Amino acid sequence: MSAAASFRRLLLPAGALFGAAFVSIQFIHPPLENPPVTGDFQAPVAVKSIVQRACYDCHSNQTNLRWFDKVAPVSWQVADHVQEGRAGLNFSTWQSLPPADQKAKLWESVNQIIAGAMPRTDYTLVHPAAKLSAQDVTVLKQYVASLAKNPPADTAKRNAADRQYRHWQPTQAVPATVPVAPNGIAYLPDYKNWQAISTTERFDNGTMRVVFGNAVAVKAIRDKHINPWPNGTAFAKVAWDQLADAQGNVRPGAFKQVEYMLKDDQKYAATKGWGWARFKTPELVPYGKDALFTTECIHCHQPMKNNDFVFTQPLKH
Amino acid sequence: MQVPTIALVGLLALSACSQPQVPAGQLNEAASLPASFDFNKLDLRVLSTFVNRRQATTATLYGNDLARQAALGGTSAAQPGEVLALVTWRQQADPNWFGARIPGALQSLELLRIEPGAAGHPAVTYQCFTGKALTLRADTLHQQERIAYLLAQKPAVLP
């Protein structure tokens, strides 16, 4: 018997086996449900129709699966994407978000689109209609830009900043118990002695920031070894409210938070090689219900994955 | 010949639109201070940061411990040994985040030192360095105004 003939003889049972397996896996995964729409996203028609077309399959409770999305094993991956997509951003429960969070999610969305991270390319390959044109992106950019208003600070904002300043005692040592984030990362008071490697004016949310880098970071910058950053690198980013006067001079108002990224590709392998932490208000309240809060950090930093998840282009001193 | 060319162009086009390139591993060269200036030897810490929307500039204020204490204390008279530095950049759009502006071209570095002066009165020296190379400016225009401005700044809350 020739090799070709024996191969043919094997082909039929193998095909049958594969077919049977294919049919039976169709029943393994529970079907994807569409929970009720409780408060749909509202925006000008031009904006909303773009978002519906390109994002709603994964970021709403109005997922519209095509037949090829429903065939296992593809359907498993689709279901995972929808679950994960909805968890981070759901346009069907939009009205339950405070207005500031709605704005933040829209700016994040536009940035994910500009970076080419959303809609996911594995999705647009099979759903080409969801691809966004340059014109679509312009419409979305103009819309979010129209939401950014940074008027001169009102009395309330000034008073809040003044009150905070009066209560702040920089000479006071670190609080008796050092605050610790849910993933075990403790607040590091020493960041104030690190070097500033950049600053940002965020007109999307009316804050201003300084990004600090520790000695390892500064050496890496000097040696131009910043992709990936070496283990031991630490960043701290501080955010304040903007206090603008009528002439357009802006200074830091109330302190909002300090955030850290600590590099250790072994210890923090599960979170892209970085230890993430955020402490809010001068009381340094750890952010996050549980250790999963890092998903939010990673999702937004995801478009920078080719740059070791770092946004900042550091400057040398 | 024709077919492979079309296929190649198609492939290139595909790979070009799939992932817009985010700049990777890049330093902000335009905003960097010249190494020759050796800013680090001043051993200063960040005190605050500012933006001037009309001029589209951003600045970071640095100071040593004495200057920081004086700034925190508010009105107390200047002490010999205080050092303040204000680095100002033109702003540029953040290439990685639509919604942010970051330092662009380096514009100036102002350096203020309080030194022991005659008859127990501390003396203020003020220098202004400008441009990418941070060259010392010869004229003394607006100096008093700038000195008053620098000494009036309060540190930002850094818990």
Side-chain angles (χ1 to χ4, degrees):
Chain A
M1 198 163 51
S2 73
S6 68
F7 179 70
R8 243 176 283 129
R9 267 185 40 186
L10 273 175
L11 206 60
L12 193 68
L17 208 66
F18 182 78
F22 182 77
V23 170
S24 49
I25 62 169
Q26 301 307 320
F27 302 98
I28 294 179
H29 221 271
L32 191 72
E33 306 277 350
N34 264 335
V37 177
T38 53
D40 198 22
F41 171 57
Q42 302 295 331
V45 184
V47 172
K48 180 147 178 191
S49 65
I50 295 171
V51 174
Q52 275 176 320
R53 167 165 62 81
C55 322
Y56 265 44
D57 270 351
C58 301
H59 292 290
S60 84
N61 297 344
Q62 294 175 290
T63 306
N64 173 22
L65 296 184
R66 268 55 108 208
W67 68 266
F68 47 83
D69 297 317
K70 295 184 191 162
V71 180
V74 171
S75 64
W76 301 346
Q77 207 205 9
V78 170
D80 285 350
H81 283 165
V82 175
Q83 306 294 7
E84 211 192 336
R86 283 177 184 165
L89 169 71
N90 191 335
F91 288 106
S92 297
T93 56
W94 190 249
Q95 303 306 332
S96 65
L97 288 178
D101 292 5
Q102 293 180 351
K103 255 177 39 174
K105 282 290 175 200
L106 289 178
W107 280 96
E108 184 183 353
S109 293
V110 170
N111 274 288
Q112 295 265 352
I113 293 167
I114 294 171
M118 290 291 148
R120 293 176 56 102
T121 33
D122 50 6
Y123 169 81
T124 47
L125 264 177
V126 281
H127 301 88
K131 274 197 190 140
L132 297 182
S133 66
Q135 174 60 23
D136 293 334
V137 179
T138 307
V139 169
L140 296 178
K141 280 169 86 170
Q142 279 170 352
Y143 177 61
V144 292
S146 77
L147 302 175
K149 296 193 179 62
N150 295 304
D154 56 17
T155 338
K157 215 167 167 185
R158 282 179 194 289
N159 288 346
D162 287 347
R163 213 174 314 121
Q164 200 190 67
Y165 189 81
R166 279 199 305 277
H167 287 140
W168 172 50
Q169 272 150 16
T171 43
Q172 199 182 319
V174 191
T177 54
V178 179
V180 179
N183 56 349
I185 293 178
Y187 156 76
L188 299 167
D190 198 38
Y191 76 90
K192 288 163 278 192
N193 299 319
W194 300 351
Q195 263 191 36
I197 59 163
S198 194
T199 52
T200 35
E201 178 199 6
R202 290 280 298 265
F203 57 89
D204 54 348
N205 60 18
T207 61
M208 56 204 303
R209 290 125 189 264
V210 172
V211 182
F212 295 86
N214 69 353
V216 177
V218 169
K219 181 172 186 309
I221 294 167
R222 208 181 312 125
D223 300 345
K224 271 196 146 182
H225 281 154
I226 62 167
N227 193 24
W229 289 83
N231 283 345
T233 296
F235 298 121
K237 185 174 84 165
V238 179
W240 299 271
D241 267 339
Q242 292 180 12
L243 277 191
D245 67 14
Q247 283 73 47
N249 294 300
V250 188
R251 63 183 175 90
F255 166 90
K256 300 189 81 78
Q257 61 190 26
V258 56
E259 295 173 299
Y260 299 98
M261 280 169 71
L262 314 177
K263 178 77 188 235
D264 188 326
D265 56 5
Q266 302 286 306
K267 190 170 170 195
Y268 302 123
T271 49
K272 312 289 184 191
W274 293 96
W276 309 77
R278 177 187 285 168
F279 301 92
K280 296 182 70 111
T281 75
E283 285 69 49
L284 302 165
V285 182
Y287 176 79
K289 278 198 291 286
D290 50 44
L292 281 179
F293 79 91
T294 56
T295 322
E296 189 185 325
C297 318
I298 294 166
H299 280 178
C300 194
H301 281 245
Q302 181 76 19
M304 302 309 297
K305 62 178 187 298
N306 295 334
N307 197 38
D308 203 10
F309 294 86
V310 173
F311 279 101
T312 300
Q313 279 189 17
L315 60 89
K316 281 182 288 188
H317 276 92
Chain B
M1 190 60 219
Q2 202 59 298
V3 174
T5 318
I6 293 172
L8 194 68
V9 169
L11 203 70
L12 278 176
L14 255 180
S15 52
C17 20
S18 59
Q19 267 299 326
Q21 269 301 271
V22 222
Q26 275 182 23
L27 301 184
N28 189 344
E29 298 284 1
S32 292
L33 275 55
S36 56
F37 193 88
D38 205 1
F39 184 75
N40 291 327
K41 76 165 183 297
L42 294 170
D43 199 18
L44 308 180
R45 279 169 41 172
V46 172
L47 296 188
S48 194
T49 173
F50 311 105
V51 166
N52 184 317
R53 287 191 190 145
R54 284 196 187 160
Q55 285 167 14
T57 57
T58 181
T60 303
L61 180 68
Y62 300 82
N64 63 0
D65 280 344
L66 276 175
R68 191 163 148 276
Q69 277 151 26
L72 280 167
T75 51
S76 65
Q79 299 294 315
E82 282 178 34
V83 179
L84 283 173
L86 184 71
V87 184
T88 305
W89 296 269
R90 299 210 62 75
Q91 288 185 305
Q92 62 167 323
D94 186 339
N96 296 332
W97 189 261
F98 176 64
R101 298 187 190 99
I102 60 169
L106 179 62
Q107 182 168 295
S108 66
L109 189 156
E110 292 164 275
L111 192 60
L112 182 153
R113 296 170 194 270
I114 314 271
E115 276 150 9
H121 288 295
V124 181
T125 64
Y126 169 91
Q127 291 170 303
C128 181
F129 304 85
T130 57
K132 180 70 192 143
L134 290 182
T135 22
L136 181 62
R137 236 170 65 179
D139 68 64
T140 57
L141 216 65
H142 304 304
Q143 272 201 4
Q144 289 315 314
E145 208 180 298
R146 294 306 293 166
I147 290 169
Y149 171 81
L150 289 172
L151 288 175
Q153 298 312 311
K154 282 199 289 184
V157 174
L158 278 174

